[in-house]
Amino acid sequence: MCELLWSDPGPEPGRQPSKRGVGVAFGPDVTKSFLQNNGLELLVRSHEVKEEGFAVEHDGYCITVFSAPNYVDQMGNLGAFIRFEGGHCESETEEEGEGEGAGGVEGAEDDKEEKKPEKEKEKAMTPQFTTFAASPHPPVRPMAYASTFMGGMGGGFGF
C-alpha cells in the first residue's frame, strides 16, 4: 500500500528507489503497462508538490495535479486543479442508451455509435488546467484555535 500511495513518476524505465526514501519511482513503461492492464487511458495523481501546480509526464499518460499553493508556507509553488472538457464519459453514454431498446438488442451499440454526430465521435476529453497562487493568511498565530482537550482530540472547538 505504501508504494501505491507514495510512488512518483520518474524519467527512467522500470522502477527505481524513490528520491523521497519511501515508495518507488516508476517509469513511462510502468505507467503504460498499468493503464493497458486496467483498461484506462490516463493516470491522474496528486500528493507531489509541483512548481507550476501540475505536471504532464510519461508522454502525456501521467498527470500530477497539486492543489496546495505555497505548500507548508515555504515551497513557493502554485496550486492547480484540472477539468476535463469534450467527449462523453462511458456512464453518460450508457445512460443515454437506456430506455431506447438497448437492453439485449443486438447491434444496439452500433446504432448508438451511428447516432452520434461525426464531430462528437472524434472529440476526445482533454484536460484543462487552472493554476493559482496562495492567498495571504489572516493575522492569527498558527494553531491559535487548537485545544489541549484530550491531547488535541477535541477537534479544536475549545472544549
Side-chain angles (χ1 to χ4, degrees):
M1 184 57 90
C2 185
E3 282 189 12
L4 176 65
L5 295 175
W6 292 106
S7 294
D8 299 319
E12 301 297 319
R15 294 174 180 86
Q16 296 82 37
S18 171
K19 62 185 178 206
R20 292 194 221 212
V22 63
V24 297
F26 57 93
D29 57 326
V30 174
T31 296
K32 288 178 184 172
S33 176
F34 172 81
L35 295 173
Q36 183 177 15
N37 290 340
N38 290 284
L40 301 171
E41 295 179 21
L42 181 65
L43 171 64
V44 179
R45 57 184 293 278
S46 189
H47 84 71
E48 183 183 11
V49 177
K50 294 295 180 182
E51 189 67 28
E52 297 301 314
F54 71 95
V56 179
E57 301 172 272
H58 295 176
D59 300 320
Y61 290 103
C62 179
I63 296 175
T64 301
V65 62
F66 193 74
S67 63
N70 196 26
Y71 186 59
V72 296
D73 291 332
Q74 61 185 344
M75 298 302 289
N77 63 291
L78 292 175
F81 64 87
I82 186 172
R83 194 177 71 215
F84 288 90
E85 295 182 354
H88 287 285
C89 294
E90 246 183 67
S91 60
E92 290 176 15
T93 307
E94 289 170 0
E95 288 172 12
E96 290 169 9
E98 289 176 9
E100 296 178 14
V105 176
E106 203 168 307
E109 285 297 315
D110 295 334
D111 291 344
K112 202 182 337 174
E113 196 64 32
E114 288 174 311
K115 289 179 186 175
K116 289 183 182 178
E118 199 60 38
K119 279 185 179 178
E120 193 174 312
K121 285 184 200 177
E122 295 174 12
K123 191 174 180 184
M125 289 185 70
T126 56
Q128 303 295 315
F129 300 94
T130 300
T131 60
F132 51 91
S135 296
H137 290 288
V140 177
R141 64 180 175 80
M143 304 298 288
Y145 300 106
S147 171
T148 58
F149 174 71
M150 291 181 58
M153 299 296 290
F157 294 109
F159 293 118

